[in-house]
Amino acid sequence: MAIRLALVCLAGMASLPAAALDLEEAWNTLRLQGPVYRSAAHERDAGVENRTLGRAGLLPQINASASRSKIDGTQEFGNSTDNDLDYDSQNLAVQLRQPLFNRQKMAEYRQGEQRAGYSEAVFDAKTQNVAVRLASRYFDVLLTRETIDLADAKLKAFEQQVAAAKRRFDLGDGTITDVDQATARRDLALAEQIEARDNLAIALRLLQEMLGEMPRQVATLRGDFPTPGLHPNNLQAWLSKAQANNPALRARHYNRRVAEEEVNRASGGHWPTLDFVLGYTNSESDSITTIDQKNRYASVGLEFNMPLFSGGAVSARVRQATASREQAGEDLNATREEVFSATTREFRGVQSGPARISALQQAVASSKRALDSAKKGFLAGSSTNVDILNAEEQVFLARRDLLEAKLRYLISRLQLAAAVGLLGDDDIRQANAYLGPELALNH
């Protein structure tokens, strides 16, 4: 299965441009070599073996033992002459034991099934969580990279304002206050530019942490940004999906069943056990009373064991397991509420996302108009230099907020799919469809 996954991932990566990294290729890369994903896969593989371990207790157990000894000593018979003992002793025994009735083994078998299911559910939860984390870190790279471009543009605009303010001051049309205000804004823009470059370096390192490699180019957002509605557009329907499919919730269900079987296993300590036993023994001179004797025999029979008293340990284990079962039940209830809260939050986020994006698109357009008006008003004498600086600041803030809102919308859709336990390759592919132009990461 691992080889097949690797071939699929390599095929997906080969279909994309080698120079650019988009979200779908990043997802394939993570599944191929990402240490977080590979760790979760190994954890699942280890947990699945609980199914075999639980079943093993109900299957025949075959054991063999062999020994060979050199005896050298003296045998005394009262006042009679002592005999020197000098002989070899060897023994070979094979035994087959098949449980016929054992409540503890049956509980362990059912526990193995539940633990294997728990491991698979945990793997599903971690897979979906790591997909959301990957998308978040990928989008952080886009946001910080765009922030650098905005910071560069802001710095350039404010440098032009400083130069213009100095020219007006030299010509006697401006004041030193205008120069100082423009210089202060320019210096703040420079500091923001430095911070933006640091944030990009950190965002790239966090992405490399998941992928195991540093991307040189990434695909950024396309110009068009459709915001289709949710289907179904009903919160209760999504809560029902979460109740049925959320992997973290399924893991809690499995954990509670394991705890229930632990109660059965502990209480099984009060019950008798019955085993079918088949054995074969081959021995030669295995004691001082069987010198020079050879014994070969087979045995078949039933072995019955009945526990009578263990100092109260069995009852204590039952009470302990019962308390753990109740704890697992409360953990299940708490996780259910957390899942419902997360589903509700992401549902609302996806629903309100289009309106927020539309409002910010209008904010960008109106900010640009306000900047043009401030520049015209400055020439007419109705606006000040500060008005221009504020208007330019607002344009850059609106553009950044718009990009952040678009990325948040995409993350909310992925998080909603993860909350209901249905995040898969199709969701990654749909989010990836919003990406197109290549963006160099040369900062």
Side-chain angles (χ1 to χ4, degrees):
M1 180 178 180
I3 296 177
R4 185 163 61 252
L5 175 61
L7 292 176
V8 171
C9 294
L10 288 173
M13 294 169 65
S15 63
L16 297 169
L21 177 79
D22 62 10
L23 184 59
E24 190 172 6
E25 183 183 357
W27 175 235
N28 290 332
T29 300
L30 182 140
R31 288 188 294 177
L32 179 65
Q33 65 186 34
V36 176
Y37 180 87
R38 288 168 61 86
S39 173
H42 291 312
E43 181 184 21
R44 176 207 52 197
D45 294 342
V48 167
E49 294 302 325
N50 284 300
R51 185 175 287 115
T52 302
L53 293 174
R55 184 173 61 246
L58 300 178
L59 298 179
Q61 308 295 313
I62 303 176
N63 297 295
S65 63
S67 64
R68 182 179 179 87
S69 304
K70 175 68 174 177
I71 309 300
D72 186 6
T74 302
Q75 186 179 38
E76 299 180 358
F77 296 95
N79 296 327
S80 61
T81 306
D82 298 340
N83 293 330
D84 291 332
L85 299 178
D86 186 7
Y87 65 93
D88 293 331
S89 174
Q90 57 186 21
N91 182 73
L92 173 65
V94 179
Q95 184 186 74
L96 179 146
R97 180 181 294 271
Q98 170 63 57
L100 299 179
F101 179 81
N102 192 314
R103 286 174 61 91
Q104 289 184 320
K105 296 295 184 183
M106 283 299 300
E108 290 172 0
Y109 164 72
R110 292 189 294 268
Q111 278 185 321
E113 293 288 334
Q114 302 303 328
R115 286 193 173 108
Y118 172 83
S119 298
E120 292 170 342
V122 168
F123 174 72
D124 291 342
K126 289 187 175 183
T127 298
Q128 298 192 36
N129 289 337
V130 78
V132 172
R133 285 174 56 200
L134 174 66
S136 297
R137 294 189 179 186
Y138 183 94
F139 292 153
D140 282 344
V141 171
L142 298 186
L143 182 61
T144 53
R145 179 60 178 79
E146 179 68 16
T147 302
I148 290 179
D149 288 344
L150 293 176
D152 291 345
K154 183 193 295 189
L155 180 61
K156 182 178 180 181
F158 286 165
E159 285 177 342
Q160 292 174 352
Q161 287 295 321
V162 171
K166 287 182 177 180
R167 283 196 302 271
R168 288 192 301 271
F169 177 74
D170 293 339
L171 294 174
D173 294 334
T175 65
I176 192 62
T177 301
D178 292 337
V179 175
D180 292 341
Q181 288 174 340
T183 302
R185 292 295 183 95
R186 181 202 62 189
D187 294 342
L188 287 173
L190 178 60
E192 291 176 3
Q193 182 194 59
I194 296 172
E195 182 181 5
R197 293 176 185 274
D198 291 342
N199 290 337
L200 175 61
I202 294 172
L204 283 171
R205 185 61 189 86
L206 291 175
L207 183 60
Q208 181 186 11
E209 176 185 307
M210 297 191 71
L211 298 180
E213 62 182 38
M214 177 69 76
R216 295 182 179 274
Q217 288 183 324
V218 295
T220 189
L221 289 180
R222 298 180 182 273
D224 56 325
F225 196 89
T227 54
L230 285 173
H231 298 287
N233 192 21
N234 179 274
L235 176 59
Q236 189 57 47
W238 287 93
L239 293 178
S240 299
K241 288 183 179 182
Q243 172 78 15
N245 302 306
N246 182 272
L249 200 54
R250 284 193 289 115
R252 288 298 187 186
H253 277 291
Y254 281 119
N255 192 52
R256 188 177 188 280
R257 293 168 193 162
V258 170
E260 289 175 349
E261 293 301 334
E262 183 61 23
V263 175
N264 295 332
R265 193 185 76 85
S267 61
H270 292 299
W271 286 74
T273 61
L274 181 65
D275 295 340
F276 170 77
V277 182
L278 178 65
Y280 173 77
T281 302
N282 183 342
S283 64
E284 296 182 9
S285 301
D286 56 352
S287 70
I288 61 175
T289 61
T290 59
I291 298 176
D292 295 332
Q293 290 188 17
K294 295 182 179 180
N295 298 300
R296 295 183 180 86
Y297 59 89
S299 62
V300 60
L302 299 176
E303 183 177 303
F304 177 84
N305 287 285
M306 180 66 191
L308 297 178
F309 182 68
S310 60
V314 174
S315 298
R317 280 192 287 267
V318 171
R319 293 192 299 271
Q320 186 182 58
T322 301
S324 297
R325 179 191 62 190
E326 296 306 314
Q327 178 187 2
E330 296 303 330
D331 290 341
L332 171 61
N333 295 333
T335 301
R336 182 184 296 110
E337 295 303 322
E338 291 174 0
V339 167
F340 286 171
S341 296
T343 303
T344 302
R345 180 180 63 252
E346 302 308 331
F347 177 84
R348 299 299 182 191
V350 175
Q351 272 198 327
S352 62
R356 187 168 186 269
I357 291 172
S358 177
L360 286 170
Q361 287 174 336
Q362 295 177 10
V364 170
S366 59
S367 297
K368 290 179 178 178
R369 290 195 299 270
L371 176 60
D372 292 338
S373 297
K375 290 180 178 179
K376 292 178 181 178
F378 182 79
L379 296 176
S382 60
S383 298
T384 65
N385 186 59
V386 175
D387 295 329
I388 296 178
L389 295 174
N390 290 337
E392 288 181 333
E393 182 84 21
Q394 189 59 42
V395 169
F396 295 121
L397 288 176
R399 288 175 58 186
R400 187 185 187 283
D401 289 345
L402 175 59
L403 176 62
E404 187 177 11
K406 290 179 178 180
L407 298 177
R408 185 186 302 177
Y409 171 79
L410 295 179
I411 284 294
S412 293
R413 293 195 73 99
L414 294 175
Q415 288 177 327
L416 179 60
V420 300
L422 299 177
L423 177 60
D425 292 345
D426 291 342
D427 300 282
I428 298 294
R429 195 173 300 113
Q430 290 173 7
N432 194 66
Y434 286 83
L435 305 176
E438 295 181 10
L439 184 66
L441 303 175
N442 53 1
H443 285 272

